[in-house]
Amino acid sequence: MVKFELEGTERYALESYQWLLERILIDMGITTMVERVRLIIRPDQTLFIISMRIKQAGSKRPVSDIADMEAQEGGTFITIKDESYAPRLLASLWRMYGRERVQQLTRLEIFVDGVPVEELSDLKLDPEEEVRSQLLDAMWRLLPEGLKVRNEYYNDNVMTIVATEHGMTVDFLAEAQKVHSSMVQGKGED
Amino acid sequence: MYEVLMFDGGVHKLEEMLDLIEDIGGFVLQRIQVQVMVTLTIAIPEEDRPLIERKAAELGGKIIEVPLAGTEIAVVGPTLGRHHMPHPICDIAEHLRRYGAITIVMGLARGRGRKTCQISAAEKAIIEEYDAAIFMLGNFKECVTHEKINLYKDIQVPVVVVIGPELDSLPDCEALVCGVGRKVERMRRSEEIAKLEEIADRVKEVVDRRRKEIEEDPLFVHPSEVKDALEDLDAVQECLRPSPVVLHVDGLRVKIPYKDHVRELEEVEVYGHKLKDIATISDCRLGDSTIIRIRTKAEVEGKVLGCDRP
């Protein structure tokens, strides 16, 4: 269950945006990944702040944990053991070495051209990376379309976006920073 | 005065219904046939409605009220971005179609935001070609009451405003419906459907008011009579666009290019008068269409008298 904290000048706006976010998260299937959300909406100042804390989804896993690697002539042959990591591993390899050098031979077999086993053993997969990008998408869907001037703060498990229409003021940024740090420290939690 | 109704029935002995409509001086505005089932949208003289109802019962069909038939309504959102589309704008447009209206969905180029929202003269002119407009103005009270009202302020057709927060009234609009803000899913819950009904009711009231205003100085001919005459044109018969002739409260939209067919349209005869004498024919702002606004009886008769004077 996502815990919401609402603050602002218009009750309807706050409640409707909470409802919107809940529906967006359900639609994207990521409700269980969000722990806490804080919304500050002040239409009179054209200020919208949203801060989200995601649940810890485990630490980074080395590739050697999820796949067997074998040195072959001209590269490394990878056999994936944990299927759930297959898309993420393939996407990481494509990003690092390019599509020409990474061949997906079968569903769980990959050959990486010109890369030694040692180099791949050091690679670590971040399970939260995907979650973060999905949450960012959810926040972008939620933010009012007209509030184009945006600033964001993020660390491992908290993301905060402050949005306004014309010019970002120092006060808005300071408020967003304060919200962000309170979410990081978990202040106001039961 | 003509009344627009919908007949829902089968093809068996349908010609009897069609003959009756013709005999009483009515028109078939639209005919949709799916296998053996037929839906006819008809315009008939008000006083002959019992005849049509009796015939419909005899044929095993039914007569459905379509209070918005013969109108074209624009549903306008701040933009066409995913924040506002397809819900709830398309839900509203779809719901109004159930009452017989032809609806279009429109997004403004720069309608989003608080201080930055604006509407261009071209957009206003496009909206004014419709019988009524529904404006969706979002969830923020402050934003709606201070800035967004300027979007529809100068529009010359009736405007129904739909917003999220509860307000008693808003200036410059004919009707206001509260409780429908941004949505990310279809409006299918009972309370949401009730809101759609409320919007349809407000639109019906607005259109009825407009029709009553027209009745005070009635049109020279009913738009469906002009439609009947236009349907014989080759250009209209060859037009592949859906509903090539769309009825408005005070005229029609013909979906053939103005510049190619204006002469032909001007010469169309309706009860012995050329169309150019009883209507204003103009180019449409949106696509290759022509807008026909029928003049009132007073305008046409006054003009004829004026011409006859030495």
Side-chain angles (χ1 to χ4, degrees):
Chain A
M1 190 74 183
V2 185
K3 192 183 164 207
F4 278 90
E5 289 166 39
L6 310 173
E7 189 190 320
T9 49
E10 286 183 22
R11 191 182 161 82
Y12 178 85
L14 288 164
E15 285 173 356
S16 64
Y17 269 82
Q18 174 182 343
W19 185 85
L20 272 177
L21 183 59
E22 282 171 351
R23 305 311 303 176
I24 290 170
L25 294 176
I26 290 170
D27 189 33
M28 296 174 76
I30 52 173
T31 311
T32 52
M33 296 169 188
V34 181
E35 191 181 338
R36 201 171 150 214
V37 175
R38 192 155 174 208
L39 274 174
I40 297 176
I41 304 175
R42 284 195 217 113
D44 52 336
Q45 295 177 321
T46 329
L47 172 69
F48 193 105
I49 299 175
I50 177 168
S51 186
M52 257 194 211
R53 195 160 88 184
I54 54 175
K55 285 177 188 164
Q56 290 287 352
S59 54
K60 292 179 180 179
R61 286 187 76 180
V63 175
S64 50
D65 260 21
I66 56 156
D68 288 329
M69 283 177 287
E70 191 187 325
Q72 282 194 355
E73 194 182 338
T76 304
F77 186 82
I78 303 172
T79 310
I80 299 167
K81 292 186 289 187
D82 187 344
E83 194 181 343
S84 63
Y85 279 84
R88 217 169 297 153
L89 175 62
L90 192 63
S92 301
L93 293 172
W94 275 341
R95 197 173 55 239
M96 289 163 70
Y97 304 113
R99 290 196 178 226
E100 307 78 43
R101 292 174 67 190
V102 181
Q103 298 162 34
Q104 189 179 18
L105 304 170
T106 66
R107 197 159 59 91
L108 297 175
E109 289 173 326
I110 301 169
F111 182 74
V112 190
D113 197 10
V115 181
V117 177
E118 297 75 41
E119 192 178 324
L120 286 176
S121 310
D122 295 338
L123 180 67
K124 283 182 180 171
L125 293 178
D126 183 0
E128 288 180 4
E129 196 176 321
E130 201 177 329
V131 177
R132 273 199 292 269
S133 81
Q134 279 183 308
L135 285 180
L136 194 60
D137 187 30
M139 287 161 101
W140 278 81
R141 279 198 207 185
L142 181 79
L143 280 168
E145 203 184 352
L147 306 188
K148 295 281 187 198
V149 184
R150 293 169 186 173
N151 219 334
E152 60 279 326
Y153 302 94
Y154 59 91
N155 63 1
D156 282 347
N157 57 351
V158 178
M159 267 190 283
T160 305
I161 296 184
V162 50
T164 186
E165 192 175 23
H166 278 303
M168 189 63 75
T169 66
V170 179
D171 292 346
F172 291 168
L173 292 175
E175 186 165 359
Q177 266 170 338
K178 207 170 132 194
V179 170
H180 184 73
S181 37
S182 78
M183 288 288 278
V184 172
Q185 291 158 16
K187 276 184 195 163
E189 282 184 69
D190 298 334
Chain B
M1 192 60 198
Y2 280 90
E3 187 174 10
V4 181
L5 297 169
M6 194 187 278
F7 166 76
D8 193 12
V11 288
H12 179 61
K13 290 189 179 174
L14 183 71
E15 63 281 3
E16 287 182 19
M17 174 61 92
L18 296 172
D19 287 344
L20 178 64
I21 294 166
E22 202 180 328
D23 291 347
I24 60 174
F27 306 96
V28 176
L29 303 177
Q30 196 177 33
R31 177 180 171 152
I32 300 168
Q33 187 169 339
V34 180
Q35 294 187 345
V36 292
M37 297 308 291
V38 176
T39 308
L40 297 178
T41 308
I42 54 177
I44 52 156
E46 260 175 345
E47 58 276 13
D48 292 324
R49 183 175 171 164
L51 287 174
I52 293 288
E53 281 177 337
R54 218 172 304 143
K55 181 55 83 180
E58 190 187 313
L59 298 180
K62 56 181 178 183
I63 292 291
I64 303 164
E65 294 270 355
V66 275
L68 292 176
T71 61
E72 196 177 24
I73 290 161
V75 187
V76 187
T79 68
L80 286 178
R82 69 175 173 181
H83 291 72
H84 310 284
M85 292 284 285
H87 318 294
I89 294 173
C90 291
D91 297 338
I92 294 171
E94 194 263 339
H95 199 77
L96 292 179
R97 281 178 204 160
R98 295 181 189 193
Y99 292 98
I102 303 266
T103 54
I104 64 119
V105 160
M106 180 177 167
L108 302 177
R110 291 183 177 80
R112 83 283 177 277
R114 184 171 171 244
K115 296 266 184 196
T116 52
C117 68
Q118 51 186 280
I119 184 167
S120 69
E123 285 168 334
K124 277 184 193 171
I126 290 171
I127 294 168
E128 282 168 3
E129 283 177 1
Y130 295 87
D131 290 315
I134 299 174
F135 271 77
M136 293 286 314
L137 297 182
N139 289 21
F140 302 120
K141 195 182 192 172
E142 171 83 20
C143 189
V144 171
T145 53
H146 287 77
E147 313 294 341
K148 295 271 189 188
I149 48 170
N150 296 324
L151 291 180
Y152 63 83
K153 200 168 66 178
D154 304 324
I155 288 182
Q156 300 301 314
V157 293
V159 171
V160 177
V161 175
V162 179
I163 55 168
E166 289 296 326
L167 284 176
D168 294 333
S169 65
L170 271 179
D172 304 314
C173 66
E174 270 66 23
L176 172 69
V177 179
C178 303
V180 184
R182 263 182 70 186
K183 303 260 177 210
V184 286
E185 58 183 7
R186 228 184 126 199
M187 293 174 75
R188 54 169 183 257
R189 294 183 182 81
S190 59
E191 65 272 16
E192 289 172 330
I193 292 168
K195 278 288 165 198
L196 289 174
E197 286 289 330
E198 192 184 333
I199 295 168
D201 287 343
R202 292 295 89 77
V203 175
K204 276 186 248 170
E205 286 166 15
V206 161
V207 169
D208 280 347
R209 229 175 291 152
R210 175 102 178 87
R211 281 183 173 142
K212 280 199 181 110
E213 275 172 25
I214 290 173
E215 267 176 47
E216 285 171 14
D217 184 10
L219 300 178
F220 187 71
V221 285
H222 190 269
S224 55
E225 292 166 296
V226 179
K227 182 180 192 251
D228 201 42
L230 290 175
E231 274 172 349
D232 296 334
L233 292 180
D234 289 343
V236 173
Q237 283 179 354
E238 286 161 14
C239 178
L240 296 175
R241 293 163 72 181
S243 310
V245 183
V246 176
L247 294 189
H248 285 185
V249 173
D250 61 350
L252 311 96
R253 177 193 300 276
V254 193
K255 294 178 184 170
I256 54 174
Y258 171 79
K259 60 178 187 299
D260 299 340
H261 299 283
V262 59
R263 299 278 164 260
E264 206 179 333
L265 287 168
E266 282 174 350
E267 298 305 316
V268 169
E269 283 216 4
V270 185
Y271 296 137
H273 293 268
K274 288 191 173 167
L275 193 57
K276 66 178 175 188
D277 296 330
I278 59 164
T280 314
I281 304 170
S282 59
D283 198 1
C284 172
R285 296 267 181 166
L286 201 63
D288 289 332
S289 296
T290 306
I291 294 283
I292 298 173
R293 297 238 187 258
I294 300 168
R295 294 194 182 118
T296 62
K297 240 178 212 172
E299 276 179 314
V300 175
E301 283 164 4
K303 195 180 168 191
V304 172
L305 281 175
C307 291
D308 288 342
R309 268 182 212 144

